[in-house]
Amino acid sequence: MTASGGPGRYTNADVELFDLDQLTHTSDQRSVGELLVDVDRQARLLLIDVTEDDAAQLLHAWPTLVSRAVDLWQALPHTPGHPAQTATSIDRVAQISHRISQRLRTSPWPPATAPDPRLSNMANTLDQAASLVRRFADRTPLSDAAREDLHAARARIMHSLYVATHAVTVSLLQHGRIRYHQAATSRRPLATPANQTPYAVAPTTAWVRRMSAAEAAAASFAPHGRLPALLNGEQRTPPADAGRLVRALAHWEVQAHRGLVCPDWLDNMVLITRTQALITGTAMVLVTAAAAGGILDLSPRLGPALERSGAAWNDLGSRWDDLTPANVRPSPQLLVAASEIRAATRNLTHDGAPMATPHTIATRPGFHEDLQAVLHALEHADELAHAVAEKGTTPGLTGRARALSIRAHNDIEAGRVAALEGDVVWVSPTDILAKHMVAAPPPVTEGLRASGEAVVQAATVAGAVASPAQSALANAQWDQSSAPVPTRKQAEQHTLSTGCTDRSEPGRQHR
Amino acid sequence: MIGEIVELLHQASEQTWHDAATESPRVSLGLGIDLAHAQASLLLPVDYQIPLGVVDGRTVAQLLRDAEHRTQTLPLHRPEMAETSDLVVALCDLIREAGHLDC
């Protein structure tokens, strides 16, 4: 039977009805939209579970994924005039993918290997979606609803590419980190570049650079080109840039003070206090590593002072959290500064998600400068502590009814604030049930003021103890190249007690 | 939906900071959750009120996974949702961190 065989029985357009290659032979009944949701889901799972061992396979699979995404993008009906369908981002990713694909054929690393099955599965799903679109897409003018659906499909394609590309970058950096540490313990350690990530070690350097470019291109699909500067900064700045933490701390100090004087200062309090807690905690980790590495003579007062300061900032943060609505909107500049602090400190103190060993931390490029910067920040933390403590005296503070009730009762029970005679109901059960924001009762405001004073006291003591350490470091003219590198055993023997638990933190049981 | 994500992140933040004190890994995770929480809050209308639920027995990792699960149905193509991709990436990173810390 042919289209023209029967006298007028089939038109030419019906030929493909009998062409086995044109038919979508699958028991999969999912629509294009459902397939795209599946790709999105797979990308997220990949990012959650990615490890350093996946780097080579992911790199080999990534160009195919991009190729399939481009195929689908081009198969979708063209509707000009909407920012979501701009071809610039996908074209840029496709160009980078093409170069990576060529390079993979000639580069000694990564070795030839089977492509990652997860990315391949995503590519197949995209291919299936493209096949459906080519076969069944309606080429007639689209309705408004269909046009919206089309924009959603394009957005989901780029979003999935972005997440998957980020996963490849994460894997490459983890791979580089492992190589770096393995080499560090051998007789031929890798050279530590001054202003570059030590984890993008050869031969992964170029791949990290290319994938970062692809990631940035994929991320730029967002309408109006809006991309949160915080995440971009985290991904593009070399992780072990020696000056990163120094710059981040300087920027943070300015933004934290600005955050306290702006009209919406209340929304910034939790972020300010908890970021200070992180800085203090990081100082503890760095001091421990420095002591283990013989870089710093650990004063017996320094560890406890830092512990008290960190616990005090944390306690104050949890108290301001009670006074903040759940939909808190901190200042965007403060968010960027806090994100950068977190990213910079993690690069120094963490190995991927878990903590790095003191030995690893002490031998990182720029450790000396970062330690000095953190100690310097602690020296001046009392200024911020005073400003934060003053905010605790602001009249008319309100907070979440349930949280304030728990706080008031726990503070009285713990003897932190004076108790009145009899059992006082500080917050009406009606307000608790209705989840209202209510005026802070006296025990809460009293506890807040006391916590603020405790922060000032602890920060002042920590600053005073950190000051000589910082001076000693500055005078030591420590030369990283000639400094004795501590053995792993030495490093593990020198550990500060970090088992401090904030005893003042109230229980969360509702009274 | 964003409101639910904000609520879940708020709960995850409270749990993470509860025992954190000076111990750095949890402090860093807690601040990361706070930042994601703020990111999500910025996607809400200014006057949006979040009805906070009762704290349940879910772990931090479970709360983060639930928050990520809710992002799957968000309309990513709409201009006001432009920053959702970054929130998703942040959530996935936090889930991985929480998994390593057994939170």
Side-chain angles (χ1 to χ4, degrees):
Chain A
M1 187 183 294
T2 64
S4 56
R9 293 176 66 184
Y10 305 106
T11 64
N12 286 337
D14 290 332
V15 170
E16 59 191 43
L17 289 173
F18 308 100
D19 184 345
L20 295 180
D21 292 333
Q22 293 282 330
L23 287 172
T24 309
H25 289 281
T26 173
S27 57
D28 193 341
Q29 299 295 311
R30 287 177 298 175
S31 67
V32 172
E34 287 167 336
L35 290 170
L36 288 177
V37 169
D38 185 38
V39 172
D40 183 358
R41 180 68 190 153
Q42 290 179 54
R44 293 166 194 234
L45 288 175
L46 174 69
L47 180 55
I48 290 170
D49 294 329
V50 73
T51 69
E52 67 277 4
D53 297 329
D54 303 325
Q57 288 190 322
L58 287 172
L59 265 178
H60 277 286
W62 188 77
T64 309
L65 174 74
V66 175
S67 165
R68 297 291 183 271
V70 172
D71 282 350
L72 175 56
W73 187 280
Q74 289 171 347
L76 292 172
H78 182 69
T79 54
H82 193 283
Q85 69 146 17
T86 176
T88 313
S89 300
I90 191 98
D91 286 346
R92 176 85 184 116
V93 177
Q95 285 167 3
I96 296 169
S97 167
H98 180 63
R99 283 200 292 274
I100 285 181
S101 183
Q102 287 180 323
R103 189 75 186 139
L104 277 170
R105 293 192 202 107
T106 56
S107 173
W109 194 92
T113 179
D116 183 84
R118 293 163 294 183
L119 279 190
S120 297
N121 196 20
M122 287 171 63
N124 291 339
T125 311
L126 287 173
D127 194 36
Q128 191 179 333
S131 168
L132 285 174
V133 172
R134 275 194 292 268
R135 181 73 181 85
F136 299 110
D138 188 357
R139 302 294 168 183
T140 56
L142 298 174
S143 64
D144 286 345
R147 198 173 288 113
E148 282 300 306
D149 193 40
L150 191 57
H151 298 325
R154 290 189 192 278
R156 205 173 273 282
I157 293 170
M158 287 308 296
H159 167 75
S160 303
L161 263 187
Y162 173 35
V163 177
T165 307
H166 181 66
V168 181
T169 312
V170 168
S171 177
L172 280 169
L173 286 173
Q174 285 181 354
H175 176 83
R177 184 181 290 117
I178 296 290
R179 282 205 69 236
Y180 178 82
H181 292 316
Q182 282 174 346
T185 55
S186 71
R187 288 183 180 178
R188 298 178 63 188
L190 295 170
T192 51
N195 284 313
Q196 202 178 355
T197 165
Y199 309 128
V201 294
T204 55
T205 320
W207 297 111
V208 170
R209 201 181 309 125
R210 289 183 190 113
M211 293 308 299
S212 298
E215 189 176 327
S220 69
F221 87 94
H224 316 309
R226 290 185 300 162
L227 286 174
L230 45 146
L231 195 63
N232 275 353
E234 188 181 4
Q235 291 161 359
R236 289 176 181 170
T237 308
D241 175 359
R244 184 176 184 182
L245 185 57
V246 180
R247 287 195 304 273
L249 285 167
H251 186 51
W252 168 251
E253 199 175 334
V254 173
Q255 290 302 333
H257 279 97
R258 281 185 184 167
L260 286 172
V261 295
C262 70
D264 295 325
W265 59 270
L266 189 59
D267 280 359
N268 298 329
M269 294 306 289
V270 176
L271 197 56
I272 290 172
T273 47
R274 287 181 169 169
T275 306
Q276 283 299 125
L278 176 69
I279 293 170
T280 313
T282 303
M284 273 193 76
V285 175
L286 298 191
V287 164
T288 305
I295 298 165
L296 185 69
D297 285 333
L298 188 60
S299 153
R301 292 172 60 207
L302 188 53
L306 291 178
E307 262 190 34
R308 273 194 295 275
S309 180
W313 279 112
N314 189 4
D315 178 56
L316 188 59
S318 67
R319 286 169 188 277
W320 278 111
D321 188 45
D322 296 342
L323 300 167
T324 310
N327 59 338
V328 60
R329 301 166 72 92
S331 119
Q333 292 83 2
L334 193 71
L335 271 178
V336 172
S339 300
E340 185 59 13
I341 287 282
R342 180 171 182 265
T345 54
R346 285 187 69 82
N347 281 326
L348 201 57
T349 59
H350 283 64
D351 242 348
M355 288 284 287
T357 63
H359 172 84
T360 305
I361 295 170
T363 51
R364 280 186 164 154
F367 173 76
H368 191 251
E369 291 82 359
D370 289 337
L371 177 59
Q372 268 192 295
V374 169
L375 291 174
H376 181 72
L378 287 181
E379 272 188 83
H380 299 283
D382 60 328
E383 292 171 20
L384 188 65
H386 276 288
V388 168
E390 273 177 27
K391 294 293 183 188
T393 60
T394 308
L397 289 171
T398 60
R400 302 193 307 279
R402 182 173 172 274
L404 295 188
S405 173
I406 295 169
R407 180 71 68 180
H409 284 287
N410 283 352
D411 274 358
I412 289 171
E413 229 171 54
R416 298 194 69 168
V417 293
L420 296 178
E421 280 189 21
D423 195 9
V424 181
V425 178
W426 295 109
V427 179
S428 146
T430 316
D431 286 331
I432 294 174
L433 197 65
K435 295 163 185 169
H436 284 156
M437 293 290 283
V438 297
V444 171
T445 50
E446 198 182 322
L448 183 69
R449 277 195 289 274
S451 182
E453 284 164 16
V455 162
V456 170
Q457 198 178 0
T460 307
V461 171
V465 182
S467 186
Q470 205 258 346
S471 304
L473 269 176
N475 294 333
Q477 297 292 321
W478 183 67
D479 182 356
Q480 192 176 0
S481 59
S482 61
V485 177
T487 64
R488 191 171 295 275
K489 194 175 175 184
Q490 277 177 321
E492 283 165 2
Q493 282 170 348
H494 287 73
T495 49
L496 271 177
S497 163
T498 54
C500 172
T501 302
D502 186 6
R503 308 292 178 203
S504 62
E505 178 75 12
R508 292 290 169 186
Q509 296 304 310
H510 178 50
R511 299 275 312 248
Chain B
M1 192 60 71
I2 297 273
E4 289 175 24
I5 294 169
V6 170
E7 184 191 343
L8 287 166
L9 289 174
H10 187 262
Q11 200 175 323
S13 165
E14 281 200 340
Q15 281 197 33
T16 310
W17 283 101
H18 183 57
D19 295 320
T22 320
E23 192 191 353
S24 196
R26 286 184 74 99
V27 170
S28 182
L29 176 68
L31 187 62
I33 294 172
D34 284 347
L35 292 168
H37 172 248
Q39 252 181 293
S41 289
L42 289 171
L43 295 171
L44 287 171
V46 177
D47 298 330
Y48 190 88
Q49 293 299 314
I50 308 229
L52 288 176
V54 177
V55 175
D56 54 34
R58 280 178 287 183
T59 64
V60 173
Q62 284 168 340
L63 289 166
L64 292 171
R65 279 183 190 278
D66 287 349
E68 187 273 333
H69 187 70
R70 277 163 175 74
T71 62
Q72 289 172 31
T73 50
L74 293 176
L76 292 171
H77 61 291
R78 291 171 59 176
E80 66 270 24
M81 294 284 113
E83 296 182 3
T84 312
S85 285
D86 301 293
L87 177 63
V88 169
V89 168
L91 284 174
C92 290
D93 282 339
L94 288 170
I95 290 168
R96 204 172 52 246
E97 286 173 27
H100 277 88
L101 293 177
D102 289 329
C103 288

